[in-house]
Amino acid sequence: MAAADPDPAADSDRGPDPAADPAPDAVTAALADLYRRLRTLDEGEVAAYIPELARADRAGFGLALVSMDGHRYEAGEASEPFTLQSVSKPFVYALALAELGLDEVSRWVGAEPSGEAFNAISLEEGTGRPSNAMVNAGAIAATALLPGATPAERFERVLARLSAFAGRRLDVDEAVYASEAATGDRNRALAYLMRGAGSLACDPLAVTDLYFRQCAVRATAADLAVMAATLGNGGVNPVTGERVVDEPVAVQVLSVMATCGMYDASGEWLLRVGLPAKSGVSGGLIAVSPARFGVACWSPPLDATGNPVRGAAALRELSERFGLHLMRRPARGAPTLLAAGQDAVVAAQGALDFTAAERVLFALARRAAGPAGPLLLDLSRVTAIDPVAEAMLRSALGRLSAAGHRVTVTGAPGRPVRDG
Ligand code: DON
């Protein structure tokens, strides 16, 4: 349990055991504390509508967290395998988005919270389109969009990409797959309804079979934390360094997780926890704090909305304890502007994004308000300029030179921002 540098193969990346460490770091201590207190929260019911899931140990409870640097923290049964079930949905949606792009995928599946249960039989009037890819109908529609010449090839692709998210080869729990395949008539009915409404362009039986398989992919809380962290890291697995999906896709998936990931409890979840999340009926739950970490819990008993009781409680506490609500103001970084000491010099430092560039532009405009003359923009201490900041600087320099100022830029990193 606890932190270490990323090395997927090494046992040592799991760091010291908090039970053996009298002074664990704050993250390890928080997970260990949540595990110790919440393991006795014995509420909710283990899902039984897929008979094989009813065999789960209701006392099992694991927590894992992975930072954007690939540091890994764990508590409890974080290495216990279970099936992804609905936690597969955001990742398969990501694969469909990566293949076809948002506009094409949106023709087949929407992005509106349904306000209904995960297995609701409700499709958009007129189009027959499911409301979003986090409910069963929408997930089946997303699965239907994945390419592949044969069912085996399509599934192998899904498994390979889910494995890339996790940073290790995952497998399928054949007993759970067979159990859902034997009892999954409601999902088949949903697929036939969509087919009848014109919103499913493939065979309902084939696509539901693929969907049952993706739901039966087996992973641990430790794996799921890496998968979640990959979404929070703009699509790059922070442990292996592999780019799994492009950043816009990761952003699109997190957006739908934020509004739809917890089914009819999604609004309340965003209000109280404030993190994009996704739950599954086998007790898995992931949440993402973008640019900070991915976190995963496993605990089979579910509440009335189908969300895991212990996992939801753990994430509520974690979000509050570490101030992680998405709508909170981010901490202010180092100051962008260095005191230049001269009216004709604007000196910046650090990484320039929209916020930092706005500060630079404001300072330039102040200096430029005086009589036209030479102006030095010193970027020698700037470590990176993102494309948005670069465009802002370029247009500011253009406006300054049009107004008769002679601006010289020094020390821009990467592609130089040219003298306006
Ligand atoms: O389609 C089903 O019913 C399951 N394979 C997955 C449902 C699920 O995990 C809903 N999550 N809370």
Side-chain angles (χ1 to χ4, degrees), residues 68 227-235 250 254 288-293:
M68 297 297 101
M227 295 174 81
T230 301
L231 290 175
N233 196 33
L254 290 175
V288 178
S289 185
R292 287 174 173 149
F293 61 74

Side-chain angles (χ1 to χ4, degrees), residues 2-309:
D5 284 324
D7 174 358
D11 279 347
S12 60
D13 74 349
R14 300 251 150 65
D17 177 351
D21 182 352
D25 64 84
V27 181
T28 303
L31 295 189
D33 176 53
L34 288 170
Y35 174 71
R36 191 179 41 76
R37 286 187 298 104
L38 295 176
R39 64 197 293 199
T40 55
L41 175 63
D42 192 21
E43 291 169 14
E45 297 303 327
V46 173
Y49 75 97
I50 299 173
E52 193 66 18
L53 293 184
R55 294 159 48 97
D57 172 12
R58 69 174 285 124
F61 183 29
L63 296 147
L65 183 149
V66 174
S67 77
M68 297 297 101
D69 296 316
H71 300 158
R72 307 176 73 159
Y73 303 83
E74 295 173 12
E77 287 87 66
S79 301
E80 194 60 39
F82 56 94
T83 54
L84 296 180
Q85 299 303 332
S86 287
V87 181
S88 64
K89 292 171 179 171
F91 300 100
V92 169
Y93 183 50
L95 302 184
L97 289 167
E99 290 288 345
L100 300 171
L102 182 58
D103 290 341
E104 177 59 18
V105 171
S106 299
R107 286 183 53 216
W108 300 96
V109 55
E112 294 301 333
S114 66
E116 293 185 279
F118 66 90
N119 57 1
I121 300 192
S122 82
L123 304 173
E124 193 176 75
E125 220 166 298
T127 64
R129 203 175 59 140
S131 49
N132 66 73
M134 302 298 118
V135 293
N136 287 7
I140 292 167
T143 299
L145 298 176
L146 301 176
T150 62
E153 190 187 306
R154 290 170 94 194
F155 182 66
E156 174 45 39
R157 247 178 124 121
V158 171
L159 188 59
R161 300 319 290 154
L162 294 180
S163 299
F165 272 108
R168 78 172 181 94
R169 179 77 185 173
L170 302 177
D171 66 1
V172 173
D173 185 325
E174 293 293 342
V176 172
Y177 158 72
S179 185
E180 183 162 19
T183 56
D185 285 338
R186 190 181 173 97
N187 282 325
R188 291 192 189 95
L190 272 171
Y192 274 106
L193 270 178
M194 288 191 281
R195 177 88 176 145
S199 60
L200 190 71
C202 66
D203 171 35
L205 291 183
V207 72
T208 42
D209 189 69
L210 185 59
Y211 167 76
F212 296 150
R213 276 200 175 277
Q214 99 192 21
C215 288
V217 169
R218 186 160 42 189
T220 65
D223 294 324
L224 280 184
V226 181
M227 295 174 81
T230 301
L231 290 175
N233 196 33
V236 175
N237 182 317
V239 175
T240 64
E242 182 185 355
R243 172 164 292 286
V244 185
V245 289
D246 288 339
E247 177 137 29
V249 167
V251 170
Q252 288 152 8
V253 172
L254 290 175
S255 307
V256 175
M257 284 169 64
T259 51
C260 310
M262 300 296 275
Y263 307 118
D264 35 338
S266 292
E268 190 77 11
W269 180 268
L270 190 59
L271 180 66
R272 291 181 188 277
V273 182
L275 295 174
K278 186 73 202 81
S279 59
V281 286
S282 54
L285 173 60
I286 58 168
V288 178
S289 185
R292 287 174 173 149
F293 61 74
V295 62
C297 306
W298 168 68
S299 168
L302 310 176
D303 65 18
T305 61
N307 294 316
V309 175

Side-chain angles (χ1 to χ4, degrees), residues 278-364:
K278 186 73 202 81
S279 59
V281 286
S282 54
L285 173 60
I286 58 168
V288 178
S289 185
R292 287 174 173 149
F293 61 74
V295 62
C297 306
W298 168 68
S299 168
L302 310 176
D303 65 18
T305 61
N307 294 316
V309 175
R310 290 193 194 99
L315 283 174
R316 266 196 304 272
E317 284 200 29
L318 202 64
S319 173
E320 201 157 303
R321 184 183 304 199
F322 290 126
L324 300 172
H325 199 294
L326 216 55
M327 304 304 172
R328 273 178 75 113
R329 235 162 22 111
R332 212 178 155 104
T336 305
L337 295 170
L338 295 160
Q342 301 166 41
D343 278 353
V345 179
V346 170
Q349 65 175 352
L352 300 191
D353 59 1
F354 168 85
T355 309
E358 184 277 332
R359 292 182 190 133
V360 174
L361 263 56
F362 195 83
L364 285 172

